[in-house]
Amino acid sequence: NAGVTQTPKFQVLKTGQSMTLQCAQDMNHEYMSWYRQDPGMGLRLIHYSVGAGITDQGEVPNGYNVSRSTTEDFPLRLLSAAPSQTSVYFCASSYETGLNTEAFFGQGTRLTVV
Amino acid sequence: GENVEQHPSTLSVQEGDSAVIKCTYSDSASNYFPWYKQELGKRPQLIIDIRSNVGEKKDQRIAVTLNKTAKHFSLHITETQPEDSAVYFCAASIRYGGSQGNLIFGKGTKLSVKP
């Protein structure tokens, strides 16, 4: 049982490039989400999904797209990277949204946009 | 928008002393309040959580209290040890769209426990 797996762990992009951050969970969790963590800012919600085929925006969605074609996978796409997107990105999953159960985090992706 | 305020941003204590971190939230519909510990370079991990129908919860040296009327909740760590040094985040459930399952986080408290 691997939990929540994110790839890559580190990435450097040039301004304007696109890329996809991968997130997979093997716990059959309904709920998945993406956060970004910046110094002194805590964790801010980018996008979330309550199940396969359903996604919605969080606090800071601009510049990011998501899709949820399977229960296991929830990739985050940066369409045209900007220096302001330099951050550490965490994917999280939890069993059920209604009961507010524990959120399990991936190990994070450190992204630098130059 | 909804937010969670967390204080203090840094906290330094001597080993064996107690540490208290406080959070306030704005969404009166929030009903779940977890606390996460994040060690340097690691992922956040849940250490304790409390639901809105409970006023206090304890797990060994860690306790959380919740005051729904005042919209604040606190983390208490007793008999602190050097391995408690980390960044601690409080969070509250909020509603985005039709889901009450999203979490909004405080900005974190860096706790340093000096031997």
Side-chain angles (χ1 to χ4, degrees):
Chain A
N1 202 341
V4 180
T5 303
Q6 285 182 239
T7 56
K9 291 191 70 175
F10 302 95
Q11 182 70 51
V12 178
L13 287 179
K14 293 182 179 179
T15 298
Q17 285 185 316
S18 63
M19 80 159 294
T20 299
L21 279 62
Q22 302 292 343
C23 176
Q25 53 90 10
D26 60 0
M27 298 175 282
N28 201 32
H29 284 174
E30 292 182 359
Y31 179 82
M32 297 185 74
S33 55
W34 277 100
Y35 290 88
R36 62 177 288 173
Q37 184 175 30
D38 302 293
M41 296 294 292
L43 292 141
R44 292 183 291 169
L45 181 66
I46 305 172
H47 284 283
Y48 68 95
S49 169
V50 298
I54 306 170
T55 64
D56 208 344
Q57 297 180 348
E59 300 173 79
V60 288
N62 292 342
Y64 308 95
N65 277 355
V66 292
S67 60
R68 185 95 179 269
S69 56
T70 67
T71 300
E72 294 78 20
D73 300 298
F74 190 44
L76 178 73
R77 280 183 289 278
L78 282 72
L79 304 176
S80 178
S84 60
Q85 294 179 303
T86 293
S87 188
V88 179
Y89 291 84
F90 285 99
C91 176
S93 74
S94 57
Y95 179 61
E96 201 169 323
T97 59
L99 295 178
N100 297 127
T101 55
E102 176 182 358
F104 292 86
F105 285 85
Q107 71 270 41
T109 295
R110 184 174 293 274
L111 175 68
T112 302
V113 182
V114 298
Chain B
E2 306 298 347
N3 71 313
V4 173
E5 298 282 342
Q6 183 172 348
H7 299 280
S9 56
T10 60
L11 180 59
S12 182
V13 300
Q14 286 295 131
E15 183 177 358
D17 287 350
S18 295
V20 180
I21 303 170
K22 299 182 179 182
C23 290
T24 59
Y25 61 97
S26 59
D27 185 359
S28 56
S30 295
N31 58 14
Y32 176 64
F33 307 91
W35 286 87
Y36 285 82
K37 176 183 180 182
Q38 186 179 31
E39 297 176 346
L40 189 62
K42 301 286 184 63
R43 71 191 79 188
Q45 292 194 297
L46 181 75
I47 55 171
I48 195 167
D49 57 13
I50 192 168
R51 302 183 189 281
S52 58
N53 58 346
V54 176
E56 184 173 357
K57 183 176 179 181
K58 191 173 182 180
D59 183 3
Q60 298 183 334
R61 297 186 296 109
I62 295 173
V64 57
T65 59
L66 171 65
N67 183 326
K68 282 217 73 178
T69 302
K71 293 187 200 171
H72 66 71
F73 56 113
S74 300
L75 177 72
H76 304 254
I77 306 174
T78 58
E79 300 172 23
T80 53
Q81 302 167 1
E83 51 264 39
D84 293 329
S85 297
V87 178
Y88 291 80
F89 292 97
C90 63
S93 62
I94 57 167
R95 180 174 291 276
Y96 272 124
S99 169
Q100 186 65 41
N102 297 297
L103 294 175
I104 187 166
F105 284 82
K107 294 184 178 179
T109 297
K110 184 176 181 180
L111 174 64
S112 300
V113 180
K114 299 182 177 179

